[in-house]
Amino acid sequence: MQSAAQKVEHQLTDKGYVPVYTTRVIEQPWDSYTAEDHRTWATLFERQRELLVGRAAQEFIDNQQRFGMSADAIPKFDDLNRVLRAATGWELIGVEGLLPELTFFEHLAARRFPVTWWIRKPEQLDYLSEPDLFHDLFGHVPLLLNPVFADYMQAYGAGGVKAAAIGPEALVNLTRLYWYTVEFGLINTDQGLRIYGAGIVSSKGESIYSLESAAPNRIGFDLERVMRTRYRIDTYQKTYFVIDSYEQLMEATRPDFTPLYARLAQQPSYAAGDVLADDQVFQRGSGEGWLNDGDV
Ligand code: PHE
Ligand code: CO
């Protein structure tokens, strides 16, 4: 029952006010899912699986199959965890929704991935403003089977704990990295650009837009460049950053960020749609349909 989710406060972040739920870890109340909930899962699952053939990174698609995720029913976290623990030592934990930043980082650093237990309502198939079970499970969980990406997620969590101690500006820089990789990343493959970001693969519209629209920029991943780039949370992205491999991501982020945060604090940020002289440009966006307000 979605109504059982407990929002406790709204917190001002760089994304505006976001609801923050209870921090407790909860057993997935699987028996409480209604027939409508399972149908919502099935509809979204089938729609995205079809759309993502030739669009999502192949390991993303393969890993969903390794998990045995299907349209038949909302997966049980316990079943997924048997596969996940054996493969990379990660574990899914049920939560009510968005966690305070530090709590979220601490879970990731311990290889625990928080998954919102409730699924969106049928009238929210195309958009909702906060993560639900479909986004978290369908979008984030498959790549946790990839050993390199699994390590990246843990390192990000540990880096988050450290950044939280350094200060809010460090957190802004680090959050941009998460946004432009884990949520909205593209990867360059021999077959062409593919999606690996969870925010894209769980969105019908953005799965097409991110790869096929002439409007957004597609730019080669560069750590400092990404950490200086603001983003939008309420529309499709103006810029997608493209990695060559998960190893590249892991290697680029391995150094201690402490001196980097100090340097970035002295430098201006870039607007979400900026293209710079030394960018590796896969596509310069036409900018069609871009709004001029609101990147953070
Ligand atoms: N190396 C980063 C640091 O020292 C941690 C990190 C790793 C951050 C991977 C993001 C991704 O803070
Ligand atoms: Co997400």
Side-chain angles (χ1 to χ4, degrees):
M1 275 185 316
Q2 185 162 340
S3 57
Q6 295 177 10
K7 291 183 197 184
V8 290
E9 57 176 320
H10 281 67
Q11 203 176 59
L12 183 59
T13 71
D14 65 328
K15 306 182 190 71
Y17 279 94
V18 298
V20 176
Y21 293 78
T22 64
T23 55
R24 83 204 148 91
V25 171
I26 53 173
E27 185 91 9
Q28 182 188 25
W30 197 86
D31 291 332
S32 76
Y33 295 131
T34 62
E36 182 181 88
D37 289 335
H38 289 293
R39 269 200 308 278
T40 299
W41 168 266
T43 303
L44 289 168
F45 186 91
E46 278 172 349
R47 192 169 87 174
Q48 287 309 102
R49 286 287 294 195
E50 192 181 322
L51 205 57
L52 290 174
V53 175
R55 291 196 175 95
Q58 191 56 42
E59 62 270 19
F60 174 89
I61 293 171
D62 293 346
N63 288 350
Q64 282 186 335
Q65 258 142 11
R66 264 175 81 190
F67 271 122
M69 287 189 191
S70 83
D72 298 347
I74 293 174
K76 292 183 173 165
F77 296 176
D78 287 347
D79 293 340
L80 302 175
N81 273 337
R82 269 188 285 278
V83 180
L84 192 52
R85 278 198 205 98
T88 57
W90 273 79
E91 179 186 18
L92 310 180
I93 53 169
V95 292
E96 300 282 5
L98 288 169
L99 297 170
E101 245 166 353
L102 187 57
T103 310
F104 179 64
F105 293 143
E106 285 168 346
H107 282 309
L108 296 186
R111 290 174 101 85
R112 290 188 298 263
F113 192 80
V115 175
T116 305
W117 71 263
W118 53 265
I119 194 160
R120 68 193 72 183
K121 293 287 136 195
E123 59 273 19
Q124 299 171 307
L125 285 189
D126 293 327
Y127 185 79
L128 80 170
S129 61
E130 58 186 304
D132 72 333
L133 178 138
F134 184 74
H135 168 80
D136 287 339
L137 259 198
F138 184 96
H140 283 286
V141 171
L143 282 186
L144 293 175
L145 282 183
N146 177 294
V148 177
F149 196 83
D151 287 349
Y152 175 70
M153 291 294 284
Q154 177 184 8
Y156 177 84
V161 172
K162 194 170 73 182
I166 293 173
E169 287 185 317
L171 278 180
V172 168
N173 293 137
L174 190 68
T175 305
R176 288 179 186 145
L177 175 64
Y178 191 87
W179 188 263
Y180 281 121
T181 60
V182 177
E183 294 291 356
F184 291 98
L186 299 180
I187 184 165
N188 195 13
T189 76
D190 293 340
Q191 289 77 42
L193 298 188
R194 293 288 185 272
I195 305 162
Y196 73 93
I200 308 178
V201 291
S202 59
S203 158
K204 179 186 175 190
E206 200 151 6
S207 295
I208 300 169
Y209 181 90
S210 64
L211 291 177
E212 283 147 63
S213 171
N217 303 313
R218 299 186 189 92
I219 292 174
F221 175 85
D222 176 271
L223 180 67
E224 287 199 37
R225 163 72 163 101
V226 168
M227 289 174 87
R228 289 177 66 178
T229 308
R230 304 194 296 270
Y231 57 86
R232 301 192 60 96
I233 59 149
D234 55 343
T235 64
Y236 298 151
Q237 301 306 302
K238 291 180 176 178
T239 298
Y240 299 93
F241 288 97
V242 180
I243 61 170
D244 293 323
S245 65
Y246 306 114
E247 286 79 7
Q248 176 202 19
L249 201 51
M250 195 65 219
E251 288 314 309
T253 54
R254 200 181 289 282
D256 181 3
F257 284 2
T258 309
L260 178 55
Y261 293 136
R263 186 161 72 241
L264 292 177
Q266 308 303 314
Q267 291 167 339
S269 60
Y270 302 120
D274 283 356
V275 178
L276 311 178
D278 53 359
D279 279 340
Q280 179 200 354
V281 178
F282 288 83
Q283 172 176 277
R284 177 181 287 267
S286 68
E288 194 191 330
W290 284 3
L291 302 175
N292 279 325
D293 57 317
D295 53 73
V296 288

